[in-house]
Amino acid sequence: MQKWVRHEDPNNKYGATFTLGDNSVSLPKGAVVSVTRGENFNIPRLIINGLLNQFIMKALTKNENLLYAELTGQLQGGVGQTLTVWKDPKLMNNFRTKGFHNFSRRFFSWIFYSGSVKAYFHTWKLTETIPSSDEAGKFVIENGRFFQGGKLIRKANHHKVG
């Protein structure tokens, strides 16, 4: 079983990245990346989101369909981002809609869909390499499904990158 590795941010004592696997993994045909990003989380939302992520992170370590995962967070700005890479979109969707992830997604949706939270979601096919966390963040902000305070502002643009 793979283990999560914590990477401290030397420039930000309130930020860290957690990785599972190797981002230079060989990508099979049909591999997809899925990015979820939330901004403007207040402290209670950050705490609850962090607790939920602990359960989801544990489930990801047991999933043989996951190729790579990366979670980043920053206290300033209340930012949290998850990047996962899957063998194919059906396997990713199966994880998303089953078990604890599905429970969290439905029961705690107010974390992403209320207050001043900005939420971005996007999944796309990978062709060559896994994007860096910064590249994925920029891409999901520019092209992902975007909600502000729970209101859909923009649907996802379906570009293929990576």
Side-chain angles (χ1 to χ4, degrees):
M1 180 179 356
Q2 297 183 55
K3 293 189 177 205
W4 286 94
V5 177
R6 180 183 174 122
H7 309 272
E8 298 289 335
D9 183 343
N11 302 315
N12 181 356
K13 69 178 183 176
Y14 300 111
T17 298
F18 296 85
T19 59
L20 180 67
D22 181 1
N23 66 355
S24 64
V25 66
S26 178
L27 299 172
K29 185 176 174 123
V32 295
V33 62
S34 182
V35 179
T36 299
R37 181 180 177 90
E39 299 176 350
N40 299 333
F41 287 140
N42 59 22
I43 297 299
R45 280 188 170 90
L46 276 173
I47 291 169
I48 293 169
N49 189 56
L51 290 171
L52 296 173
N53 272 335
Q54 291 299 309
F55 291 104
I56 293 168
M57 288 168 70
K58 186 173 182 175
L60 286 171
T61 63
K62 300 173 185 175
N63 194 311
E64 69 269 359
N65 301 312
L66 180 75
L67 298 171
Y68 176 74
E70 186 173 296
L71 281 71
T72 55
Q74 297 175 14
L75 191 56
Q76 298 95 338
V79 177
Q81 179 173 295
T82 303
L83 177 151
T84 53
V85 180
W86 300 85
K87 291 180 180 177
D88 75 45
K90 290 179 184 173
L91 299 171
M92 183 273 305
N93 195 48
N94 187 46
F95 180 82
R96 186 177 72 86
T97 59
K98 303 271 191 270
F100 191 80
H101 188 278
N102 188 47
F103 168 77
S104 297
R105 188 173 59 91
R106 297 174 131 217
F107 191 76
F108 295 100
S109 63
W110 61 271
I111 293 171
F112 276 93
Y113 297 119
S114 63
S116 63
V117 173
K118 294 179 180 180
Y120 306 88
F121 307 92
H122 206 353
T123 300
W124 66 92
K125 287 186 179 181
L126 290 174
T127 56
E128 294 176 19
T129 61
I130 297 171
S132 71
S133 185
D134 288 340
E135 291 168 334
K138 289 176 186 172
F139 187 80
V140 76
I141 289 169
E142 293 172 5
N143 297 289
R145 191 170 22 141
F146 170 47
F147 292 84
Q148 188 166 11
K151 181 179 178 190
L152 178 64
I153 304 298
R154 178 190 67 225
K155 292 182 178 180
N157 296 323
H158 294 287
H159 296 104
K160 291 183 181 178
V161 296

Short mmCIF file of all heavy atoms in Angstrom, two decimals, residues 23-33 67 85 124-131 135 160-162:
data_model
loop_
_atom_site.label_atom_id
_atom_site.label_comp_id
_atom_site.label_asym_id
_atom_site.label_seq_id
_atom_site.Cartn_x
_atom_site.Cartn_y
_atom_site.Cartn_z
N ASN A 23 4.58 11.36 -9.54
CA ASN A 23 3.96 12.11 -10.64
C ASN A 23 4.65 11.89 -11.98
O ASN A 23 4.20 12.41 -13.00
CB ASN A 23 3.87 13.61 -10.32
CG ASN A 23 5.21 14.27 -10.21
OD1 ASN A 23 6.26 13.63 -10.26
ND2 ASN A 23 5.18 15.58 -10.03
N SER A 24 5.71 11.08 -12.01
CA SER A 24 6.32 10.74 -13.31
C SER A 24 5.88 9.36 -13.78
O SER A 24 6.49 8.77 -14.67
CB SER A 24 7.85 10.80 -13.20
OG SER A 24 8.31 9.84 -12.29
N VAL A 25 4.78 8.88 -13.20
CA VAL A 25 4.24 7.57 -13.57
C VAL A 25 3.91 7.53 -15.06
O VAL A 25 3.52 8.54 -15.65
CB VAL A 25 2.98 7.25 -12.71
CG1 VAL A 25 1.85 8.20 -13.01
CG2 VAL A 25 2.53 5.83 -12.89
N SER A 26 4.06 6.37 -15.67
CA SER A 26 3.70 6.18 -17.07
C SER A 26 2.18 6.19 -17.19
O SER A 26 1.49 5.46 -16.47
CB SER A 26 4.27 4.86 -17.57
OG SER A 26 3.90 4.63 -18.89
N LEU A 27 1.66 7.04 -18.06
CA LEU A 27 0.22 7.20 -18.19
C LEU A 27 -0.35 6.26 -19.25
O LEU A 27 0.08 6.28 -20.40
CB LEU A 27 -0.12 8.64 -18.58
CG LEU A 27 0.29 9.71 -17.58
CD1 LEU A 27 0.07 11.10 -18.16
CD2 LEU A 27 -0.47 9.53 -16.29
N PRO A 28 -1.33 5.45 -18.87
CA PRO A 28 -1.99 4.61 -19.87
C PRO A 28 -2.90 5.44 -20.76
O PRO A 28 -3.32 6.54 -20.38
CB PRO A 28 -2.79 3.62 -19.01
CG PRO A 28 -3.06 4.35 -17.75
CD PRO A 28 -1.89 5.25 -17.53
N LYS A 29 -3.22 4.92 -21.91
CA LYS A 29 -4.16 5.60 -22.80
C LYS A 29 -5.50 5.72 -22.07
O LYS A 29 -5.97 4.76 -21.47
CB LYS A 29 -4.34 4.80 -24.09
CG LYS A 29 -5.20 5.48 -25.10
CD LYS A 29 -5.25 4.68 -26.40
CE LYS A 29 -6.23 5.33 -27.33
NZ LYS A 29 -5.65 5.69 -28.58
N GLY A 30 -6.09 6.90 -22.09
CA GLY A 30 -7.37 7.13 -21.42
C GLY A 30 -7.25 7.68 -20.02
O GLY A 30 -8.26 7.94 -19.36
N ALA A 31 -6.01 7.89 -19.51
CA ALA A 31 -5.84 8.43 -18.16
C ALA A 31 -6.44 9.84 -18.08
O ALA A 31 -6.40 10.60 -19.05
CB ALA A 31 -4.36 8.47 -17.80
N VAL A 32 -7.00 10.14 -16.91
CA VAL A 32 -7.59 11.46 -16.69
C VAL A 32 -7.06 12.06 -15.41
O VAL A 32 -6.66 11.35 -14.48
CB VAL A 32 -9.14 11.42 -16.63
CG1 VAL A 32 -9.73 11.00 -17.96
CG2 VAL A 32 -9.63 10.55 -15.50
N VAL A 33 -7.08 13.39 -15.36
CA VAL A 33 -6.78 14.12 -14.14
C VAL A 33 -8.05 14.82 -13.71
O VAL A 33 -8.82 15.31 -14.54
CB VAL A 33 -5.62 15.12 -14.34
CG1 VAL A 33 -5.94 16.19 -15.36
CG2 VAL A 33 -5.24 15.78 -13.02
N LEU A 67 -3.58 6.55 -10.03
CA LEU A 67 -2.18 6.56 -10.43
C LEU A 67 -1.35 7.54 -9.59
O LEU A 67 -0.18 7.29 -9.31
CB LEU A 67 -2.05 6.93 -11.91
CG LEU A 67 -2.70 5.95 -12.89
CD1 LEU A 67 -2.70 6.54 -14.29
CD2 LEU A 67 -1.98 4.62 -12.85
N VAL A 85 -5.09 11.53 -10.40
CA VAL A 85 -4.88 10.99 -11.75
C VAL A 85 -5.35 9.54 -11.73
O VAL A 85 -4.92 8.74 -10.90
CB VAL A 85 -3.40 11.08 -12.18
CG1 VAL A 85 -3.22 10.50 -13.59
CG2 VAL A 85 -2.92 12.52 -12.13
N TRP A 124 -10.10 16.14 -17.09
CA TRP A 124 -9.74 16.10 -18.50
C TRP A 124 -8.76 14.97 -18.77
O TRP A 124 -8.09 14.48 -17.87
CB TRP A 124 -9.20 17.45 -18.98
CG TRP A 124 -7.89 17.89 -18.39
CD1 TRP A 124 -6.64 17.67 -18.90
CD2 TRP A 124 -7.68 18.64 -17.18
NE1 TRP A 124 -5.68 18.23 -18.11
CE2 TRP A 124 -6.29 18.83 -17.04
CE3 TRP A 124 -8.54 19.16 -16.21
CZ2 TRP A 124 -5.75 19.52 -15.97
CZ3 TRP A 124 -7.99 19.84 -15.14
CH2 TRP A 124 -6.61 20.02 -15.03
N LYS A 125 -8.70 14.56 -20.03
CA LYS A 125 -7.79 13.48 -20.43
C LYS A 125 -6.37 13.99 -20.48
O LYS A 125 -6.10 15.10 -20.93
CB LYS A 125 -8.18 12.94 -21.82
CG LYS A 125 -9.43 12.12 -21.80
CD LYS A 125 -9.69 11.49 -23.16
CE LYS A 125 -10.95 10.65 -23.10
NZ LYS A 125 -11.24 10.00 -24.36
N LEU A 126 -5.47 13.13 -20.02
CA LEU A 126 -4.04 13.44 -20.09
C LEU A 126 -3.45 12.74 -21.30
O LEU A 126 -3.82 11.61 -21.61
CB LEU A 126 -3.33 12.93 -18.83
CG LEU A 126 -3.65 13.69 -17.55
CD1 LEU A 126 -3.00 13.01 -16.36
CD2 LEU A 126 -3.18 15.12 -17.65
N THR A 127 -2.53 13.41 -21.96
CA THR A 127 -1.90 12.80 -23.12
C THR A 127 -0.41 12.57 -22.93
O THR A 127 0.15 11.68 -23.55
CB THR A 127 -2.13 13.68 -24.38
OG1 THR A 127 -1.64 14.99 -24.11
CG2 THR A 127 -3.59 13.72 -24.75
N GLU A 128 0.25 13.38 -22.11
CA GLU A 128 1.69 13.24 -21.97
C GLU A 128 2.15 13.21 -20.52
O GLU A 128 2.75 12.23 -20.09
CB GLU A 128 2.41 14.37 -22.70
CG GLU A 128 2.21 14.32 -24.22
CD GLU A 128 2.86 15.51 -24.90
OE1 GLU A 128 3.73 16.15 -24.29
OE2 GLU A 128 2.49 15.78 -26.05
N THR A 129 1.91 14.27 -19.78
CA THR A 129 2.42 14.38 -18.41
C THR A 129 1.34 14.89 -17.46
O THR A 129 0.35 15.50 -17.89
CB THR A 129 3.62 15.34 -18.34
OG1 THR A 129 3.19 16.64 -18.77
CG2 THR A 129 4.78 14.87 -19.19
N ILE A 130 1.59 14.67 -16.20
CA ILE A 130 0.71 15.19 -15.16
C ILE A 130 1.09 16.65 -14.92
O ILE A 130 2.27 16.96 -14.74
CB ILE A 130 0.87 14.37 -13.86
CG1 ILE A 130 0.45 12.92 -14.12
CG2 ILE A 130 0.08 15.00 -12.72
CD1 ILE A 130 0.77 11.97 -12.97
N PRO A 131 0.11 17.56 -14.90
CA PRO A 131 0.45 18.96 -14.66
C PRO A 131 0.92 19.17 -13.22
O PRO A 131 0.55 18.42 -12.32
CB PRO A 131 -0.87 19.70 -14.92
CG PRO A 131 -1.93 18.68 -14.67
CD PRO A 131 -1.32 17.36 -15.06
N GLU A 135 0.11 24.55 -12.29
CA GLU A 135 -0.50 24.48 -13.62
C GLU A 135 -1.95 24.02 -13.53
O GLU A 135 -2.84 24.59 -14.18
CB GLU A 135 0.27 23.52 -14.53
CG GLU A 135 1.65 23.99 -14.91
CD GLU A 135 2.49 22.88 -15.56
OE1 GLU A 135 2.25 21.69 -15.32
OE2 GLU A 135 3.38 23.25 -16.34
N LYS A 160 -8.48 19.77 -24.00
CA LYS A 160 -7.59 18.66 -23.67
C LYS A 160 -6.19 19.23 -23.51
O LYS A 160 -5.71 19.94 -24.37
CB LYS A 160 -7.60 17.59 -24.77
CG LYS A 160 -8.91 16.86 -24.86
CD LYS A 160 -8.83 15.78 -25.91
CE LYS A 160 -10.16 15.06 -26.02
NZ LYS A 160 -10.16 14.04 -27.05
N VAL A 161 -5.56 18.92 -22.37
CA VAL A 161 -4.20 19.39 -22.12
C VAL A 161 -3.40 18.27 -21.47
O VAL A 161 -3.94 17.27 -21.05
CB VAL A 161 -4.18 20.63 -21.19
CG1 VAL A 161 -4.85 21.80 -21.83
CG2 VAL A 161 -4.79 20.30 -19.85
N GLY A 162 -2.10 18.52 -21.30
CA GLY A 162 -1.24 17.60 -20.54
C GLY A 162 -0.77 16.51 -21.39
O GLY A 162 -0.47 15.45 -21.12
#
